[in-house]
Amino acid sequence: KHSFPTRRSSDLSPPDFRNIVFFALRVGEYSWAEYFIQSYAKYVDDKHRDNAVYFSMARLDFYRKNYRKVIEHLSKVNYEDVWYNLGSRTLLISTYYELDEYDALESLLMAFRMYIDREKSLTKDRKQSYINLIKFARKLILTNSKDTDKLIKLKEEIANTKNVVVKPWLLEKIEELI
């Protein structure tokens, strides 16, 4: 049985909502995260609720390996907010990879790179973190899965690079190939 403190309407910020779900997923509490999303979405301001719910459901389905549902949820996210744009594209990169949708992934990587280059609100370091993700995701799909030496070198390069978004996921995918 789940119990949460009583809250007033519209007093749960979208970042708090997303982070609660994220941390529940990180510790494997998928049912709890789903219950939270369904029960506590009403406490997120109407203006931001749909994005918070769709994005959180996409994350939940990614952890549950329901990759087609991830795409379905993300198609409903409004990308006007920079955070949702970055987060959704990052999640799509992982999802397309998991689905072996390499053409869609390559297209996404190119479009994402253009978005990063044009987005003025990102700091130089933040941009570099996403550029590194794009670079390493591209290398991952282009490296022959039977070339263990190249995979080991790629793993070392990623591990030694300071700013990389979803670094643990990239390393996990390489380790699976090795």
Side-chain angles (χ1 to χ4, degrees), residues 51-87:
N51 268 358
V53 169
Y54 292 134
F55 184 81
S56 295
M57 287 302 296
R59 265 191 176 158
L60 172 62
D61 278 319
F62 184 83
Y63 274 80
R64 287 180 167 167
K65 300 181 186 322
N66 297 327
Y67 301 119
R68 295 279 173 213
K69 285 192 165 206
V70 172
I71 295 168
E72 183 182 320
H73 293 304
L74 291 179
S75 73
K76 298 173 186 172
V77 172
N78 179 329
Y79 292 135
E80 289 176 15
D81 180 289
V82 172
W83 191 93
Y84 283 112
N85 204 317
L86 296 170

Side-chain angles (χ1 to χ4, degrees), residues 3-168:
S3 85
F4 300 100
T6 304
R7 301 186 71 91
R8 292 175 289 118
S9 180
S10 301
D11 66 351
L12 186 57
S13 74
D16 287 346
F17 183 86
R18 291 189 315 257
N19 287 336
I20 290 168
V21 172
F22 174 74
F23 288 114
L25 296 174
R26 288 289 298 264
V27 297
E29 291 291 337
Y30 304 157
S31 295
W32 189 94
E34 184 174 24
Y35 175 84
F36 178 83
I37 293 166
Q38 293 170 350
S39 300
Y40 276 70
K42 63 187 175 193
Y43 299 111
V44 177
D45 185 84
D46 292 346
K47 187 169 109 178
H48 304 287
R49 183 176 305 138
D50 286 347
N51 268 358
V53 169
Y54 292 134
F55 184 81
S56 295
M57 287 302 296
R59 265 191 176 158
L60 172 62
D61 278 319
F62 184 83
Y63 274 80
R64 287 180 167 167
K65 300 181 186 322
N66 297 327
Y67 301 119
R68 295 279 173 213
K69 285 192 165 206
V70 172
I71 295 168
E72 183 182 320
H73 293 304
L74 291 179
S75 73
K76 298 173 186 172
V77 172
N78 179 329
Y79 292 135
E80 289 176 15
D81 180 289
V82 172
W83 191 93
Y84 283 112
N85 204 317
L86 296 170
S88 295
R89 289 181 194 227
T90 300
L91 194 51
L92 272 175
I93 288 169
S94 304
T95 300
Y96 286 154
Y97 180 85
E98 297 291 352
L99 290 170
D100 298 327
E101 296 281 353
Y102 300 121
D103 290 339
L105 177 54
E106 185 61 38
S107 178
L108 173 61
L109 293 173
M110 288 188 298
F112 196 19
R113 177 60 197 247
M114 285 189 285
Y115 175 80
I116 297 298
D117 288 343
R118 292 178 182 155
E119 182 53 53
K120 305 279 189 246
S121 68
L122 298 175
T123 65
K124 185 179 176 183
D125 284 345
R126 192 81 171 141
K127 280 187 178 197
Q128 191 58 54
S129 295
Y130 286 100
I131 289 168
N132 287 337
L133 164 62
I134 293 164
K135 174 180 79 174
F136 291 133
R138 184 169 281 123
K139 283 184 176 187
L140 177 60
I141 61 175
L142 294 176
T143 301
N144 184 330
S145 62
K146 294 181 182 12
D147 193 339
T148 306
D149 290 340
K150 280 190 179 177
L151 289 169
I152 290 170
K153 285 180 183 171
L154 179 57
K155 182 180 174 184
E156 289 171 1
E157 184 182 1
I158 293 170
N160 294 326
T161 301
K162 185 178 176 186
N163 296 327
V164 184
V165 175
V166 296
K167 183 189 253 185

